[in-house]
Amino acid sequence: MTYQHIDVEPLTPTIGATVSGVDLTEPLDDAVMDEIRQAWMQHLVLFFRDQPMSSEQHLAFGRRFGELHIHPAAPYAEGNPELMVIHTDKDSFRNNGERWHSDVSADLEPPMASILHIHHVPPSGGDTCWSNMYAAYEALSPAMQELLEPLTAVHASDYSGQYGEHKPQRESPRAVHPVVRTHPVTGKKALFVNEVFTKRINELAYDESRALLGFLADHVKNVNFQCRFQWQDHSVALWDNRCTQHMAIWDYYPESRSGIRVTIKGDKPF
Ligand code: SIN
């Protein structure tokens, strides 16, 4: 694909691309936004380097994609629950997003996108990996695809104790979603179960459900579906939660890493 306003460098043929020629600290023209959207639909995760955005600029960029989502329980910055804090240091007992997931998939309408701005990186490490859920679905045998197609699964979250003293914004969500969803923009099928939120496949016996979810959790970790991004201060990642999963690597203890995530509301999966 050729672009007139932005430069797009794929990170892998399967997922991820770095976009340059864009300044996210400035309001973006519609023509630039159209190309960002096209590149995003093609590569699923876009990376932007050297973007010292303010919170206002970050929120404004997020709003170009839709209404903003509020995390059920995570701490937020500047008194604004739309600014989810991502922070890990020597006193942390866990790292946000350290297991494969798509964001808050337990919501009835899970967020469609997330935009993470990392302000501070450790001297080394702290990379994030993303996995392409179209590719994960397409790599399954036709017989397995046929088995999964009509199935639904319960997604539930339990944030108790995860965010220390911070009082949750709302009750922990719970929802039933199709195991294979259709992306509302591309029309492509994507696997939509993850090891953090997906608890049970409704149509199967308990042991069958457990075995199948275990198999699928391993399957999405196949490196052939993945990219791995090395952050620098003021890198930004924009990802599509409808067709990707991600995990944040905590290999930098006792160093710290911090940023802010702005998340965009999505639709009910079908
Ligand atoms: C997350 O949003 O799951 C965290 C991702 C990261 O910190 O890289």
Side-chain angles (χ1 to χ4, degrees):
M1 182 146 349
T2 52
Y3 298 94
Q4 310 224 312
H5 305 283
I6 62 175
D7 292 310
V8 179
E9 186 71 34
L11 208 65
T12 77
T14 312
I15 182 167
T18 303
V19 175
S20 52
V22 175
D23 182 354
L24 299 182
T25 69
E26 297 287 340
L28 299 177
D29 289 348
D30 289 346
V32 173
M33 277 305 297
D34 284 349
E35 290 198 350
I36 289 176
R37 284 196 192 90
Q38 278 174 42
W40 185 40
M41 288 304 101
Q42 188 180 354
H43 298 284
L44 321 188
V45 192
L46 297 183
F47 305 107
F48 304 81
R49 297 275 187 199
D50 303 316
Q51 304 286 342
M53 293 188 293
S54 66
S55 298
E56 277 316 311
Q57 290 158 347
H58 192 172
L59 291 164
F61 184 48
R63 287 194 185 106
R64 297 298 296 271
F65 295 90
E67 263 183 73
L68 302 185
H69 170 270
I70 291 177
H71 193 277
Y76 47 85
E78 301 171 32
N80 183 350
E82 293 166 339
L83 295 169
M84 176 179 169
V85 170
I86 299 288
H87 178 83
T88 302
D89 63 25
K90 63 177 178 25
D91 300 319
S92 302
F93 57 90
R94 63 182 277 275
N95 182 43
N96 213 69
E98 64 192 329
R99 286 162 59 217
W100 284 97
H101 66 289
S102 75
D103 291 323
V104 202
S105 71
D107 265 349
L108 277 175
E109 296 182 337
M112 75 159 172
S114 302
I115 305 173
L116 178 58
H117 178 196
I118 290 290
H119 303 146
H120 172 76
V121 291
S124 65
D127 297 355
T128 307
C129 299
W130 280 266
S131 184
N132 177 335
M133 292 302 105
Y134 299 135
Y137 173 74
E138 285 157 16
L140 296 169
S141 64
M144 180 57 89
Q145 291 177 347
E146 204 177 317
L147 171 71
L148 297 182
E149 201 91 9
L151 302 181
T152 61
V154 175
H155 293 233
S157 59
D158 178 6
Y159 293 107
S160 48
Q162 285 198 11
Y163 294 106
E165 298 297 296
H166 179 79
K167 194 170 155 291
Q169 281 72 256
R170 55 185 162 98
E171 271 186 29
S172 287
R174 181 183 176 88
V176 173
H177 298 309
V179 166
V180 177
R181 73 181 291 182
T182 303
H183 194 287
V185 179
T186 64
K188 290 167 65 174
K189 288 181 179 168
L191 204 54
F192 196 64
V193 289
N194 66 78
E195 67 180 9
V196 171
F197 297 113
T198 313
K199 306 298 175 199
R200 174 78 205 258
I201 296 180
N202 291 310
E203 294 79 5
L204 301 183
Y206 176 78
D207 288 346
E208 294 168 348
S209 163
R210 208 174 47 156
L212 189 51
L213 287 177
F215 161 73
L216 293 172
D218 287 345
H219 180 66
V220 305
K221 295 174 192 163
N222 185 324
V223 289
N224 292 328
F225 313 143
Q226 290 181 29
C227 70
R228 177 171 173 150
F229 182 64
Q230 204 169 16
W231 300 86
Q232 296 162 343
D233 288 354
H234 300 298
S235 299
V236 172
L238 158 68
W239 65 88
D240 190 333
N241 284 302
R242 299 165 294 191
C243 56
T244 67
Q245 291 190 33
H246 58 282
M247 59 98 66
I249 301 172
W250 190 13
D251 54 359
Y252 49 89
Y253 184 87
E255 301 293 341
S256 51
R257 174 183 183 273
S258 39
I260 295 286
R261 193 179 92 194
V262 164
T263 311
I264 297 112
K265 283 184 179 176
D267 304 324
K268 192 166 164 39
F270 59 89

